[in-house]
PDB file of all heavy atoms in Angstrom:
ATOM      1  N   ASP S  69       8.288 -18.688   7.426  1.00 82.00           N
ATOM      2  CA  ASP S  69       6.976 -19.160   6.990  1.00 82.00           C
ATOM      3  C   ASP S  69       6.225 -18.073   6.239  1.00 82.00           C
ATOM      4  O   ASP S  69       5.628 -18.320   5.196  1.00 82.00           O
ATOM      5  CB  ASP S  69       6.140 -19.639   8.187  1.00 82.00           C
ATOM      6  CG  ASP S  69       6.684 -20.923   8.792  1.00 82.00           C
ATOM      7  OD1 ASP S  69       7.393 -21.663   8.072  1.00 82.00           O
ATOM      8  OD2 ASP S  69       6.398 -21.181   9.977  1.00 82.00           O
ATOM      9  N   HIS S  70       6.250 -16.845   6.773  1.00 80.00           N
ATOM     10  CA  HIS S  70       5.584 -15.727   6.106  1.00 80.00           C
ATOM     11  C   HIS S  70       6.241 -15.452   4.760  1.00 80.00           C
ATOM     12  O   HIS S  70       5.556 -15.194   3.768  1.00 80.00           O
ATOM     13  CB  HIS S  70       5.621 -14.472   6.957  1.00 80.00           C
ATOM     14  CG  HIS S  70       4.650 -14.495   8.091  1.00 80.00           C
ATOM     15  ND1 HIS S  70       4.705 -13.593   9.115  1.00 80.00           N
ATOM     16  CD2 HIS S  70       3.604 -15.297   8.377  1.00 80.00           C
ATOM     17  CE1 HIS S  70       3.734 -13.846   9.976  1.00 80.00           C
ATOM     18  NE2 HIS S  70       3.058 -14.875   9.546  1.00 80.00           N
ATOM     19  N   SER S  71       7.561 -15.494   4.750  1.00 83.00           N
ATOM     20  CA  SER S  71       8.296 -15.237   3.512  1.00 83.00           C
ATOM     21  C   SER S  71       7.963 -16.283   2.450  1.00 83.00           C
ATOM     22  O   SER S  71       7.730 -15.956   1.290  1.00 83.00           O
ATOM     23  CB  SER S  71       9.790 -15.228   3.803  1.00 83.00           C
ATOM     24  OG  SER S  71      10.517 -14.926   2.644  1.00 83.00           O
ATOM     25  N   ALA S  72       7.911 -17.550   2.843  1.00 85.00           N
ATOM     26  CA  ALA S  72       7.592 -18.627   1.900  1.00 85.00           C
ATOM     27  C   ALA S  72       6.156 -18.484   1.400  1.00 85.00           C
ATOM     28  O   ALA S  72       5.884 -18.667   0.205  1.00 85.00           O
ATOM     29  CB  ALA S  72       7.799 -19.982   2.560  1.00 85.00           C
ATOM     30  N   TYR S  73       5.236 -18.167   2.308  1.00 84.00           N
ATOM     31  CA  TYR S  73       3.831 -18.001   1.924  1.00 84.00           C
ATOM     32  C   TYR S  73       3.680 -16.829   0.951  1.00 84.00           C
ATOM     33  O   TYR S  73       3.002 -16.944  -0.069  1.00 84.00           O
ATOM     34  CB  TYR S  73       2.973 -17.773   3.168  1.00 84.00           C
ATOM     35  CG  TYR S  73       1.562 -17.378   2.843  1.00 84.00           C
ATOM     36  CD1 TYR S  73       0.663 -18.311   2.328  1.00 84.00           C
ATOM     37  CD2 TYR S  73       1.121 -16.063   3.019  1.00 84.00           C
ATOM     38  CE1 TYR S  73      -0.637 -17.958   2.016  1.00 84.00           C
ATOM     39  CE2 TYR S  73      -0.173 -15.704   2.709  1.00 84.00           C
ATOM     40  CZ  TYR S  73      -1.047 -16.645   2.210  1.00 84.00           C
ATOM     41  OH  TYR S  73      -2.317 -16.290   1.888  1.00 84.00           O
ATOM     42  N   LEU S  74       4.333 -15.701   1.262  1.00 86.00           N
ATOM     43  CA  LEU S  74       4.240 -14.527   0.399  1.00 86.00           C
ATOM     44  C   LEU S  74       4.846 -14.825  -0.967  1.00 86.00           C
ATOM     45  O   LEU S  74       4.279 -14.469  -1.999  1.00 86.00           O
ATOM     46  CB  LEU S  74       4.933 -13.327   1.044  1.00 86.00           C
ATOM     47  CG  LEU S  74       4.854 -12.013   0.287  1.00 86.00           C
ATOM     48  CD1 LEU S  74       3.398 -11.585   0.099  1.00 86.00           C
ATOM     49  CD2 LEU S  74       5.636 -10.926   1.007  1.00 86.00           C
ATOM     50  N   LYS S  75       5.976 -15.510  -0.980  1.00 84.00           N
ATOM     51  CA  LYS S  75       6.614 -15.857  -2.253  1.00 84.00           C
ATOM     52  C   LYS S  75       5.683 -16.734  -3.093  1.00 84.00           C
ATOM     53  O   LYS S  75       5.528 -16.519  -4.287  1.00 84.00           O
ATOM     54  CB  LYS S  75       7.932 -16.580  -2.002  1.00 84.00           C
ATOM     55  CG  LYS S  75       8.690 -16.902  -3.258  1.00 84.00           C
ATOM     56  CD  LYS S  75      10.030 -17.525  -2.958  1.00 84.00           C
ATOM     57  CE  LYS S  75      10.770 -17.815  -4.249  1.00 84.00           C
ATOM     58  NZ  LYS S  75      12.079 -18.397  -4.018  1.00 84.00           N
ATOM     59  N   GLN S  76       5.031 -17.698  -2.454  1.00 84.00           N
ATOM     60  CA  GLN S  76       4.103 -18.577  -3.167  1.00 84.00           C
ATOM     61  C   GLN S  76       2.915 -17.772  -3.692  1.00 84.00           C
ATOM     62  O   GLN S  76       2.509 -17.920  -4.842  1.00 84.00           O
ATOM     63  CB  GLN S  76       3.641 -19.706  -2.234  1.00 84.00           C
ATOM     64  CG  GLN S  76       2.823 -20.783  -2.917  1.00 84.00           C
ATOM     65  CD  GLN S  76       1.340 -20.472  -2.996  1.00 84.00           C
ATOM     66  OE1 GLN S  76       0.789 -19.747  -2.178  1.00 84.00           O
ATOM     67  NE2 GLN S  76       0.699 -21.007  -4.003  1.00 84.00           N
ATOM     68  N   LEU S  77       2.377 -16.897  -2.864  1.00 84.00           N
ATOM     69  CA  LEU S  77       1.211 -16.098  -3.235  1.00 84.00           C
ATOM     70  C   LEU S  77       1.518 -15.154  -4.398  1.00 84.00           C
ATOM     71  O   LEU S  77       0.686 -14.943  -5.274  1.00 84.00           O
ATOM     72  CB  LEU S  77       0.728 -15.295  -2.020  1.00 84.00           C
ATOM     73  CG  LEU S  77      -0.579 -14.525  -2.152  1.00 84.00           C
ATOM     74  CD1 LEU S  77      -1.743 -15.469  -2.416  1.00 84.00           C
ATOM     75  CD2 LEU S  77      -0.832 -13.713  -0.893  1.00 84.00           C
ATOM     76  N   LEU S  78       2.730 -14.606  -4.416  1.00 84.00           N
ATOM     77  CA  LEU S  78       3.090 -13.617  -5.435  1.00 84.00           C
ATOM     78  C   LEU S  78       3.751 -14.214  -6.672  1.00 84.00           C
ATOM     79  O   LEU S  78       3.962 -13.499  -7.646  1.00 84.00           O
ATOM     80  CB  LEU S  78       4.009 -12.548  -4.818  1.00 84.00           C
ATOM     81  CG  LEU S  78       3.397 -11.714  -3.711  1.00 84.00           C
ATOM     82  CD1 LEU S  78       4.428 -10.748  -3.147  1.00 84.00           C
ATOM     83  CD2 LEU S  78       2.162 -10.970  -4.202  1.00 84.00           C
ATOM     84  N   SER S  79       4.056 -15.507  -6.634  1.00 82.00           N
ATOM     85  CA  SER S  79       4.749 -16.059  -7.797  1.00 82.00           C
ATOM     86  C   SER S  79       4.056 -17.266  -8.422  1.00 82.00           C
ATOM     87  O   SER S  79       4.451 -17.698  -9.498  1.00 82.00           O
ATOM     88  CB  SER S  79       6.191 -16.429  -7.425  1.00 82.00           C
ATOM     89  OG  SER S  79       6.194 -17.431  -6.435  1.00 82.00           O
ATOM     90  N   CYS S  80       3.040 -17.818  -7.776  1.00 76.00           N
ATOM     91  CA  CYS S  80       2.357 -18.962  -8.375  1.00 76.00           C
ATOM     92  C   CYS S  80       1.567 -18.506  -9.600  1.00 76.00           C
ATOM     93  O   CYS S  80       1.265 -17.327  -9.745  1.00 76.00           O
ATOM     94  CB  CYS S  80       1.419 -19.630  -7.368  1.00 76.00           C
ATOM     95  SG  CYS S  80      -0.041 -18.648  -6.964  1.00 76.00           S
ATOM     96  N   GLU S  81       1.264 -19.430 -10.458  1.00 71.00           N
ATOM     97  CA  GLU S  81       0.418 -19.122 -11.613  1.00 71.00           C
ATOM     98  C   GLU S  81      -1.000 -18.916 -11.083  1.00 71.00           C
ATOM     99  O   GLU S  81      -1.602 -19.843 -10.558  1.00 71.00           O
ATOM    100  CB  GLU S  81       0.466 -20.258 -12.634  1.00 71.00           C
ATOM    101  CG  GLU S  81      -0.319 -19.993 -13.890  1.00 71.00           C
ATOM    102  CD  GLU S  81       0.176 -18.809 -14.698  1.00 71.00           C
ATOM    103  OE1 GLU S  81       1.397 -18.552 -14.726  1.00 71.00           O
ATOM    104  OE2 GLU S  81      -0.674 -18.138 -15.306  1.00 71.00           O
TER     105      GLU S  81
END
Side-chain angles (χ1 to χ4, degrees):
D69 290 337
H70 284 167
S71 183
Y73 171 73
L74 183 60
K75 183 176 181 179
Q76 188 274 333
L77 187 62
L78 297 177
S79 62
C80 71
E81 183 63 34

